[in-house]
Amino acid sequence: MKTNLKLILCLFFLFSINIKSQNIGVFNGENFTFKNGDENWSEPIKTNLSSKDGVTAPISIRIKFKKRVMLACHYYVEITNLSETNTVKFEIGNRYTDAQGNEVTDKFKLAPKAMDEGKLIYAEGLKKPKSTQDCLNCTWSMHFYEIKIK
């Protein structure tokens, strides 16, 4: 009986490791996928930003693992304004805070059809990531703040 229970627990553990997928996503619930490997840019996610006055603009977002520094994972973020006519201005963050409790964000201002690169960092408490895969398996969502579309 104990042998069967150990076997079942072992199989469950192995199964749970194999089904774990990247959990980094954007506010709308979509997760980034890395079809070209962990060291390359993710597949783009397209979404619409909305300003307080109801104006919308389409954007495309990709991320790429940059490096691990102590407890934090660092990422590049590439955002493209897909609008033909509107300029978009906003901040991005993932609810990660610095030692003073301030959320770490990056600012973007994109003309129509423009692309820019920024950076984000994230750490899961005192859990030390050991590999690129550990950083890409973190669970965080990118959020947009102070959205202005003209």
Side-chain angles (χ1 to χ4, degrees), residues 1 5 7 22 35 45 47 65 75 78 88 92-93 101 104 108 113 115 120 123 125 131 133 147-148:
M1 183 73 173
L5 183 59
L7 180 63
Q22 283 80 19
K35 292 183 180 176
I45 291 178
T47 191
F65 172 74
Y75 308 88
E78 179 190 88
V88 295
I92 61 168
V104 177
F108 287 80
K113 295 295 186 183
M115 182 272 294
L120 280 179
S131 67
Q133 194 61 43
I147 300 168
K148 295 181 178 142

Side-chain angles (χ1 to χ4, degrees):
M1 183 73 173
K2 286 185 180 181
T3 306
N4 288 341
L5 183 59
K6 286 180 184 178
L7 180 63
I8 290 170
L9 289 174
C10 185
L11 289 173
F12 177 76
F13 176 74
L14 291 173
F15 180 71
S16 66
I17 289 172
N18 287 332
I19 63 169
K20 188 171 183 178
S21 62
Q22 283 80 19
N23 297 314
I24 301 172
V26 292
F27 65 94
N28 66 4
E30 289 187 69
N31 288 340
F32 292 100
T33 58
F34 297 86
K35 292 183 180 176
N36 297 318
D38 296 343
E39 301 286 335
N40 296 304
W41 285 102
S42 69
E43 293 298 305
I45 291 178
K46 293 180 182 175
T47 191
N48 288 314
L49 293 180
S50 297
S51 64
K52 289 181 182 179
D53 57 357
V55 179
T56 62
I59 61 167
S60 176
I61 312 158
R62 299 190 311 166
I63 67 167
K64 180 179 178 181
F65 172 74
K66 179 182 174 189
K67 64 183 175 181
R68 290 177 289 119
V69 177
M70 296 175 60
L71 297 176
C73 297
H74 293 240
Y75 308 88
Y76 292 113
V77 178
E78 179 190 88
I79 300 180
T80 304
N81 179 3
L82 300 175
S83 174
E84 299 279 343
T85 56
N86 293 326
T87 297
V88 295
K89 185 178 178 181
F90 54 88
E91 289 183 48
I92 61 168
N94 56 15
R95 311 252 164 123
Y96 175 74
T97 57
D98 62 17
Q100 291 76 35
N102 300 314
E103 184 171 357
V104 177
T105 63
D106 201 354
K107 296 180 181 185
F108 287 80
K109 183 176 181 182
L110 299 169
K113 295 295 186 183
M115 182 272 294
D116 196 8
E117 234 179 66
K119 298 174 186 166
L120 280 179
I121 63 173
Y122 188 76
E124 290 185 333
L126 297 176
K127 179 181 171 188
K128 184 175 181 177
K130 295 179 181 83
S131 67
T132 302
Q133 194 61 43
D134 285 350
C135 287
L136 295 176
N137 282 333
C138 287
T139 303
W140 58 264
S141 293
M142 187 180 307
H143 295 268
F144 294 80
Y145 309 100
E146 305 296 324
I147 300 168
K148 295 181 178 142
I149 303 171
K150 295 182 181 187

